[in-house]
Amino acid sequence: MKVILNVDVKHLGEEGDVKNVATGYARNYLLPRNLVVPFNETTAAMFEARKAEIEARKEIKRQNARTLKEKLEGASFEVVMPAGANGKLYGAVTTAVIADVLAKQGFEIERKRIELPGLAIKTVGNYRATIKLYEAQVAEISISVKPQEEKGSSEQPKEEPKKAEEKEAPAEEKAE
Protein backbone atom coordinates (compact mmCIF):
# COMPACT_ATOMS: atom_id res chain seq x y z
CA MET A 1 0.00 0.00 0.00
CA LYS A 2 1.36 3.40 -0.96
CA VAL A 3 1.19 6.05 1.81
CA ILE A 4 2.49 9.54 2.60
CA LEU A 5 3.97 10.10 6.06
CA ASN A 6 2.30 12.79 8.21
CA VAL A 7 5.13 12.78 10.75
CA ASP A 8 8.59 11.27 11.11
CA VAL A 9 8.22 7.52 11.71
CA LYS A 10 11.25 5.69 13.08
CA HIS A 11 12.64 3.07 10.69
CA LEU A 12 10.25 4.17 7.95
CA GLY A 13 10.93 7.76 6.92
CA GLU A 14 10.30 11.44 7.45
CA GLU A 15 7.30 13.68 7.06
CA GLY A 16 6.22 14.01 3.43
CA ASP A 17 7.97 10.84 2.22
CA VAL A 18 6.01 8.48 -0.04
CA LYS A 19 6.51 4.86 1.02
CA ASN A 20 5.23 1.42 0.11
CA VAL A 21 4.24 -0.49 3.26
CA ALA A 22 2.40 -3.69 4.00
CA THR A 23 -1.37 -3.26 3.91
CA GLY A 24 -1.84 -4.68 7.41
CA TYR A 25 0.87 -2.39 8.86
CA ALA A 26 -0.80 0.63 7.31
CA ARG A 27 -4.35 -0.39 8.21
CA ASN A 28 -3.68 -1.60 11.77
CA TYR A 29 -0.89 0.67 12.97
CA LEU A 30 -0.10 3.70 10.82
CA LEU A 31 -3.58 4.89 9.79
CA PRO A 32 -5.29 4.63 13.23
CA ARG A 33 -2.48 6.72 14.77
CA ASN A 34 -2.65 9.32 11.97
CA LEU A 35 1.00 8.72 11.13
CA VAL A 36 0.23 8.40 7.40
CA VAL A 37 -2.43 9.18 4.83
CA PRO A 38 -3.20 7.00 1.82
CA PHE A 39 -1.45 8.08 -1.36
CA ASN A 40 -3.86 9.51 -3.94
CA GLU A 41 -4.07 12.64 -6.09
CA THR A 42 -5.68 14.75 -3.35
CA THR A 43 -3.22 13.91 -0.58
CA ALA A 44 -0.27 14.17 -2.97
CA ALA A 45 -1.40 17.69 -3.97
CA MET A 46 -1.88 18.62 -0.30
CA PHE A 47 1.67 17.53 0.60
CA GLU A 48 3.08 19.21 -2.50
CA ALA A 49 1.59 22.50 -1.23
CA ARG A 50 3.19 21.93 2.19
CA LYS A 51 6.55 20.90 0.71
CA ALA A 52 8.28 24.23 1.50
CA GLU A 53 7.08 24.09 5.11
CA ILE A 54 8.29 20.49 5.51
CA GLU A 55 11.70 21.33 4.01
CA ALA A 56 12.04 24.30 6.39
CA ARG A 57 11.45 21.97 9.38
CA LYS A 58 13.99 19.49 8.02
CA GLU A 59 16.56 22.27 7.62
CA ILE A 60 16.01 23.34 11.24
CA LYS A 61 16.60 19.72 12.35
CA ARG A 62 19.80 19.59 10.27
CA GLN A 63 21.04 22.84 11.81
CA ASN A 64 20.25 21.60 15.33
CA ALA A 65 22.16 18.38 14.59
CA ARG A 66 25.21 20.36 13.38
CA THR A 67 25.14 22.52 16.52
CA LEU A 68 24.78 19.48 18.78
CA LYS A 69 27.63 17.75 16.95
CA GLU A 70 29.95 20.72 17.60
CA LYS A 71 29.01 20.81 21.29
CA LEU A 72 29.45 17.06 21.75
CA GLU A 73 32.81 16.91 20.00
CA GLY A 74 34.05 19.91 21.98
CA ALA A 75 33.21 18.36 25.35
CA SER A 76 34.99 15.58 27.22
CA PHE A 77 33.15 12.97 29.22
CA GLU A 78 34.41 11.08 32.25
CA VAL A 79 32.95 7.89 33.68
CA VAL A 80 34.04 6.76 37.15
CA MET A 81 33.47 3.08 37.87
CA PRO A 82 34.73 0.67 40.54
CA ALA A 83 37.74 -1.23 39.22
CA GLY A 84 40.30 -3.74 40.37
CA ALA A 85 44.02 -3.11 40.73
CA ASN A 86 44.69 -4.37 37.19
CA GLY A 87 42.30 -1.79 35.66
CA LYS A 88 39.47 -4.20 34.94
CA LEU A 89 36.06 -2.76 35.80
CA TYR A 90 33.78 -4.61 38.22
CA GLY A 91 30.87 -3.63 35.98
CA ALA A 92 30.79 -2.38 32.41
CA VAL A 93 30.29 0.97 30.74
CA THR A 94 27.33 0.51 28.41
CA THR A 95 25.39 2.86 26.19
CA ALA A 96 22.91 3.41 29.04
CA VAL A 97 25.73 4.58 31.35
CA ILE A 98 27.02 6.95 28.66
CA ALA A 99 23.49 8.29 28.06
CA ASP A 100 23.25 9.05 31.80
CA VAL A 101 26.61 10.85 31.76
CA LEU A 102 25.50 12.88 28.74
CA ALA A 103 22.20 13.73 30.44
CA LYS A 104 24.05 15.03 33.52
CA GLN A 105 25.91 17.44 31.23
CA GLY A 106 22.70 18.57 29.52
CA PHE A 107 22.67 16.41 26.37
CA GLU A 108 19.44 14.45 25.92
CA ILE A 109 20.44 11.58 23.65
CA GLU A 110 18.78 8.17 23.38
CA ARG A 111 21.03 5.26 24.24
CA LYS A 112 20.08 3.57 20.97
CA ARG A 113 21.87 6.33 19.07
CA ILE A 114 25.17 5.68 20.88
CA GLU A 115 27.61 3.15 19.45
CA LEU A 116 30.58 1.81 21.42
CA PRO A 117 33.60 -0.13 20.20
CA GLY A 118 32.36 -3.62 21.04
CA LEU A 119 29.25 -4.02 23.14
CA ALA A 120 30.61 -2.48 26.35
CA ILE A 121 33.76 -1.02 27.86
CA LYS A 122 35.24 -3.30 30.52
CA THR A 123 38.63 -1.74 31.32
CA VAL A 124 39.94 1.63 32.45
CA GLY A 125 41.20 3.91 29.67
CA ASN A 126 40.24 6.39 26.96
CA TYR A 127 37.70 5.42 24.32
CA ARG A 128 35.81 6.93 21.38
CA ALA A 129 32.09 6.48 20.86
CA THR A 130 29.92 7.57 17.95
CA ILE A 131 26.51 9.16 18.26
CA LYS A 132 24.07 9.12 15.36
CA LEU A 133 22.34 12.45 15.06
CA TYR A 134 19.95 13.53 12.28
CA GLU A 135 20.29 11.96 8.81
CA ALA A 136 24.01 11.32 8.11
CA GLN A 137 25.29 13.54 10.95
CA VAL A 138 27.53 11.56 13.30
CA ALA A 139 29.41 12.92 16.31
CA GLU A 140 32.47 11.23 17.80
CA ILE A 141 32.97 11.78 21.51
CA SER A 142 35.87 10.87 23.76
CA ILE A 143 35.13 8.99 26.95
CA SER A 144 37.61 8.64 29.77
CA VAL A 145 36.91 5.67 32.04
CA LYS A 146 38.60 6.07 35.42
CA PRO A 147 38.69 3.83 38.48
CA GLN A 148 36.66 4.86 41.49
CA GLU A 149 38.87 5.96 44.38
CA GLU A 150 38.56 3.82 47.46
CA LYS A 151 37.74 5.80 50.59
CA GLY A 152 40.68 4.93 52.81
CA SER A 153 39.93 1.27 53.36
CA SER A 154 43.07 0.96 55.52
CA GLU A 155 41.86 3.67 57.92
CA GLN A 156 38.52 2.08 58.74
CA PRO A 157 39.89 -0.97 60.61
CA LYS A 158 41.90 1.39 62.84
CA GLU A 159 38.80 3.40 63.74
CA GLU A 160 36.60 0.40 64.54
CA PRO A 161 38.80 -0.97 67.35
CA LYS A 162 38.91 2.48 68.96
CA LYS A 163 35.12 2.57 69.04
CA ALA A 164 35.05 -0.87 70.59
CA GLU A 165 37.51 0.25 73.31
CA GLU A 166 35.42 3.34 74.03
CA LYS A 167 32.30 1.21 74.44
CA GLU A 168 34.09 -1.13 76.84
CA ALA A 169 35.46 1.68 79.03
CA PRO A 170 32.09 3.04 80.18
CA ALA A 171 30.91 -0.50 80.94
CA GLU A 172 33.94 -1.00 83.21
CA GLU A 173 33.28 2.30 84.99
CA LYS A 174 29.66 1.30 85.67
CA ALA A 175 30.82 -1.98 87.16
CA GLU A 176 33.09 -0.20 89.67
Side-chain angles (χ1 to χ4, degrees):
M1 176 178 203
K2 210 169 191 184
V3 295
I4 302 175
L5 301 178
N6 270 337
V7 294
D8 295 351
V9 180
K10 190 180 277 188
H11 305 296
L12 188 58
E14 297 179 340
E15 180 180 10
D17 291 351
V18 178
K19 297 287 182 174
N20 277 324
V21 296
T23 307
Y25 180 49
R27 189 177 338 121
N28 297 325
Y29 181 77
L30 297 172
L31 288 169
R33 290 170 176 78
N34 292 324
L35 301 175
V36 298
V37 292
F39 181 82
N40 56 38
E41 292 177 17
T42 309
T43 56
M46 181 181 71
F47 274 93
E48 194 62 38
R50 290 181 36 201
K51 192 172 190 173
E53 176 187 330
I54 293 168
E55 281 300 318
R57 273 192 290 238
K58 287 181 181 181
E59 185 57 39
I60 290 171
K61 289 179 185 179
R62 287 183 198 107
Q63 184 62 37
N64 289 342
R66 282 190 289 268
T67 305
L68 182 60
K69 179 180 177 178
E70 291 171 6
K71 288 180 183 178
L72 284 170
E73 290 180 345
S76 61
F77 302 98
E78 185 175 299
V79 178
V80 179
M81 297 278 291
N86 61 354
K88 188 172 179 178
L89 298 176
Y90 290 133
V93 178
T94 61
T95 56
V97 172
I98 293 173
D100 290 341
V101 169
L102 292 171
K104 287 179 184 175
Q105 292 193 15
F107 299 104
E108 291 297 321
I109 296 178
E110 298 172 6
R111 67 177 181 82
K112 294 177 184 177
R113 294 177 173 238
I114 301 170
E115 289 183 358
L116 290 173
L119 296 175
I121 299 170
K122 298 184 179 182
T123 57
V124 173
N126 295 321
Y127 298 91
R128 307 246 346 129
T130 57
I131 299 175
K132 293 179 183 176
L133 301 172
Y134 184 72
E135 291 179 341
Q137 295 277 343
V138 176
E140 281 205 18
I141 60 170
S142 61
I143 301 164
S144 176
V145 180
K146 297 189 176 182
Q148 187 176 23
E149 293 181 16
E150 295 183 21
K151 298 180 181 178
S153 58
S154 60
E155 293 177 10
Q156 289 177 353
K158 293 178 184 176
E159 292 177 13
E160 289 179 19
K162 290 180 184 177
K163 289 179 184 176
E165 291 172 9
E166 291 173 5
K167 289 180 183 176
E168 291 175 13
E172 292 174 6
E173 291 174 7
K174 288 179 184 175
E176 291 178 11

